[in-house]
Amino acid sequence: ARQTLEWEPSDLKDDPLVSAMLDYGKLMSKSTALQRNKVDLKMGDFDGAPWLPPSFYSKGSGIMPDQMAQAMFDAGLLPDAYTDTLW
């Protein structure tokens, strides 16, 4: 059975944060980050991450969540640069 989402992915198309994130680049998936030894699970970059459509992630590369959070903060779209705020 299909999982019920709190929102539909199509609802995100006009969201300014989502738009800016996709303009900046696609995220690195947790599995890619683990394969490339780019993440320390104790740091919590992926803690609290919601389900995102696969199109939000880059195959084999991408931007780490902490870098994306910093970029969105620098762009004035987040009140701080914490990954918890990004998610």
Side-chain angles (χ1 to χ4, degrees), residues 33-85:
L34 289 169
Q35 289 171 355
R36 293 180 170 220
N37 294 318
K38 291 219 172 229
V39 67
D40 178 350
L41 292 177
K42 295 176 188 163
M43 295 301 290
D45 278 345
F46 292 91
D47 289 353
W51 177 87
L52 294 172
S55 60
F56 276 51
Y57 295 101
S58 179
K59 287 207 178 265
S61 62
I63 300 164
M64 286 292 293
D66 62 326
Q67 295 170 327
M68 183 66 79
Q70 183 65 54
M72 296 302 102
F73 169 71
D74 292 346
L77 295 168
L78 291 177
D80 58 53
Y82 296 110
T83 54
D84 286 346
T85 306

